[in-house]
Each structure stands twice: as structure tokens, then as C-alpha cells.
Amino acid sequence: MANIGTDRVYQDFELATRWTSEPDAEILVADLPGFKKEQVKVAVTETRKLRLKGERPTGGNKWIRFHQEIPVPLTVDIDSVSAMFKDNKLYIRHPKVKTEIPQTKPLSPVKPPVIMKPRDHHETKQGQGSKEIVGKSSGGKTDQLKHDAQQKVRELQSGKKKLIGEPKGPLCYKDEEKDKVGAKWFEKYKEATGNVVKEAKNKRQLLCNLAASISLVLLILLYARNAVRSSLVWISEE
């Protein structure tokens, strides 16, 4: 009768593995010659590693065993791992994590915002006020000059300014002085224009006198010439 309590003698088996890639999964292939499906165990640890272990008898109390932990890629889903044993090979399928790439619309060029510089309300009012003042002052000066010129012409034509209901006193005295000054300026104007006219007349008279003198000299010369010719004719006839 065989001794059931005989201790097993284990021999470590070096597991050969390789990764193959598919469009939707990563597959780990392990070669297990002589092993059966029930002799192999597959588990996923909390540290994201794939734990593979198994053992089988080789005769007597001798056994062969393996134990290996393989890191799982980060691109696969460890919650959906599946295994299949076929033809002394273990296929462990790791589905890839589906990452949905959001469809991005082409960015339209963004125009920089136009920053409007706020104008100072006080400066705006001040500028408008200055323009209005300049316009009024220039127009007022022109109107005042026209009015003064017309008033002077009227004063010069009348010779004296007459006001109805003019109050008597210092104001009347100042107005009389202004009238006198205006009369003096008018006299000076008349005198200046008269002198100019007289000078023009004198020049004209002088030119006339000069022309008459030249004409007289020319007549005398012609008369003398004719007289000399006639005397020469008389002498030749004798």
C-alpha cells in the first residue's frame, strides 16, 4: 500500500511568456507544456499585476511548479481580463481602455476686443466751451468793428452826433470831447486828402508847363533853322 504521507519534491518551472497586440486588446501568451487547465490559476492583484501559478506531478513524489507575477499595462482594463487554455498554452486577454477623443471644432480667429478710451467729461465740456467762446469772440469782434466803422462814417457825415434824451453831466462832456476828437480826425483826413489832390494837380500843371516849354523851344529851333536857310539862299543868289 502506498505511503500517502510521503512529502512532495518540487522542481521550479521557468514560465515563458510573450505579449501580442490586437486592435482592441493586449494578449499575454504563456507556454505550459504538460499542464492541464485545472492545474493552472490566474489572478489579478491589487497592485495591478497578473499572478500566474500552477503545479503538476512528474512521477512518484516529484512535482513541477511555477509562480510568476507580470505587470499589467496601464492601457488595459484589469476588470475585464479573461483567460483561455488551449494546446498547452494559456491566453490571457486584456481589453484596451476605450478613450473617446472629443471632436474639436476648428477654432475661428478671435478678434481682439476694441478698447475705447473713456474721455474725460470735464475735458469734453471744457473743449466745447472754449470753441464756443472763440467763435463768439471772433464773430463779436467783427460785428463790433463793422458797427464802429458805420458809426464813425455817420458821425463824420453829420458832423455831430445827436442823441434824443441824452442826459446832461459828465457823460455829455465826454461825448462832446469824443465829437471834437472825431472832428479833428476828419479835418486831418480832409487836409491830407486835399494835400494829395493839390500835389496831383501841381504835378499835372508842372507836366503841362514842361510840355509847353518843350514845344516852344522846338518852334524856336524850327524858326531859326528856316531863317538860316533863307539867308543862305539870298547869299547864293547874289
Side-chain angles (χ1 to χ4, degrees):
M1 183 175 180
N3 188 7
I4 300 175
T6 304
D7 294 335
R8 295 178 181 180
V9 178
Y10 288 99
Q11 182 182 359
D12 291 333
F13 173 72
E14 186 176 355
L15 185 64
T17 60
R18 63 183 181 278
W19 286 94
T20 60
S21 181
E22 292 183 357
D24 58 346
E26 298 289 343
I27 299 174
L28 178 65
V29 181
D31 294 328
L32 298 171
F35 281 88
K36 296 180 181 180
K37 179 180 178 180
E38 57 272 11
Q39 296 173 342
V40 179
K41 294 181 180 180
V42 179
V44 179
T45 66
E46 295 180 355
T47 58
R48 212 180 161 79
K49 289 183 180 180
L50 190 65
R51 182 182 293 166
L52 305 177
K53 67 178 181 178
E55 59 182 17
R56 68 175 179 85
T58 57
N61 62 344
K62 294 181 180 180
W63 289 68
I64 190 171
R65 65 182 179 181
F66 65 91
H67 183 278
Q68 191 172 352
E69 290 185 356
I70 301 171
V72 178
L74 297 176
T75 58
V76 299
D77 185 8
I78 59 174
D79 296 332
S80 303
V81 176
S82 60
M84 182 182 66
F85 190 84
K86 183 180 180 181
D87 297 335
N88 294 328
K89 291 182 180 182
L90 179 63
Y91 298 91
I92 304 172
R93 191 172 187 274
H94 302 77
K96 292 182 180 180
V97 177
K98 295 181 180 181
T99 57
E100 295 181 359
I101 301 174
Q103 295 180 356
T104 57
K105 296 181 179 181
L107 297 176
S108 58
V110 179
K111 295 182 180 180
V114 179
I115 300 174
M116 299 296 293
K117 184 178 179 182
R119 296 183 63 184
D120 192 354
H121 187 63
H122 177 68
E123 291 181 358
T124 306
K125 284 187 175 181
Q126 187 175 2
Q128 292 177 354
S130 61
K131 289 181 181 179
E132 290 177 359
I133 290 169
V134 171
K136 288 181 180 179
S137 62
S138 60
K141 286 182 179 180
T142 306
D143 296 338
Q144 186 65 30
L145 290 173
K146 289 181 180 180
H147 179 69
D148 292 342
Q150 292 175 359
Q151 189 174 1
K152 288 292 183 183
V153 171
R154 290 171 185 170
E155 290 176 0
L156 293 175
Q157 290 177 354
S158 62
K160 186 177 181 181
K161 181 172 66 176
K162 295 180 181 181
L163 294 175
I164 300 173
E166 183 179 4
K168 296 181 180 180
L171 294 175
C172 297
Y173 179 71
K174 290 181 179 180
D175 292 337
E176 290 178 358
E177 288 183 353
K178 289 181 180 180
D179 293 339
K180 290 179 181 180
V181 172
K184 287 181 180 180
W185 280 105
F186 182 69
E187 292 295 334
K188 288 182 179 180
Y189 174 76
K190 287 175 66 177
E191 184 178 353
T193 54
N195 292 332
V196 172
V197 172
K198 287 180 181 180
E199 289 178 1
K201 289 182 178 180
N202 292 332
K203 288 181 180 180
R204 186 176 180 183
Q205 188 65 33
L206 181 61
L207 290 174
C208 292
N209 294 335
L210 182 60
S213 300
I214 293 171
S215 299
L216 184 60
V217 171
L218 291 175
L219 290 174
I220 293 170
L221 290 175
L222 290 173
Y223 178 76
R225 182 180 178 186
N226 291 329
V228 170
R229 283 184 178 179
S230 61
S231 61
L232 290 175
V233 171
W234 286 105
I235 291 170
S236 61
E237 286 179 354
E238 291 179 355

